[in-house]
Amino acid sequence: VNHLIMDLTLHRPGEHFFIRSAGKEGIVVTDELYCNSLVLSAESVVPEWPVASVSELGPEHLQPIFDLDPEVVILGTGDTQAFPPPQLVMKFYEKGIGFEAMTTEAACRTFNVLVSEERKVVAALIHER
């Protein structure tokens, strides 16, 4: 099994952003490769999100996520599932936003499914170098 790249979809489902693949080289959103962590909704890409690991995630990193007005946030935590401190997770619940943490690969797949269901989802994807 090739773990270097995971193709998620070959066609463009509608007029919104979607994740085509994720791997060590980066995350391909529609037709563009991003080599750093990013925040993504169906309508917006926030490149260069300055978070390289869950341990670096702080309250100052959440505003770009909140600015996209999500109903649910999926945090992609890299190759291993990890959880941010409970006080950070509470910031989502205080705003009535659902929150899930999973590997970045799983977050990419979940994002595509929720976008296809027209959910107001934001993926905050940590890309480990």
Side-chain angles (χ1 to χ4, degrees):
V1 176
N2 182 353
H3 292 287
L4 295 177
I5 190 163
M6 177 189 63
D7 284 326
L8 295 170
T9 183
L10 298 175
H11 64 284
R12 183 179 175 121
E15 291 304 311
H16 54 72
F17 287 113
F18 66 97
I19 301 166
R20 188 177 299 279
S21 66
K24 289 292 179 204
E25 73 291 339
I27 299 165
V28 178
V29 177
T30 310
D31 293 316
E32 188 160 345
L33 174 65
Y34 294 89
C35 298
N36 296 297
S37 300
L38 61 109
V39 176
L40 175 68
S41 73
E43 299 85 27
S44 303
V45 178
V46 181
E48 306 290 330
W49 189 48
V51 179
S53 69
V54 173
S55 61
E56 289 182 16
L57 187 61
E60 68 276 14
H61 300 116
L62 302 182
Q63 197 56 52
I65 298 168
F66 296 147
D67 286 347
L68 297 175
D69 193 30
E71 292 174 355
V72 64
V73 171
I74 302 161
L75 176 65
T77 61
D79 293 336
T80 307
Q81 183 181 27
F83 297 93
Q87 62 269 27
L88 273 185
V89 176
M90 283 306 299
K91 295 197 178 299
F92 292 94
Y93 294 132
E94 287 166 3
K95 294 178 176 291
I97 299 169
F99 178 86
E100 292 288 335
M102 56 191 74
T103 66
T104 295
E105 248 184 44
C108 291
R109 288 191 303 268
T110 302
F111 173 82
N112 282 349
V113 169
L114 293 176
V115 165
S116 73
E117 295 173 354
E118 299 184 6
R119 299 281 306 277
K120 287 188 68 173
V121 60
V122 168
L125 304 172
I126 295 173
H127 177 65
E128 295 176 319
R129 298 182 157 266

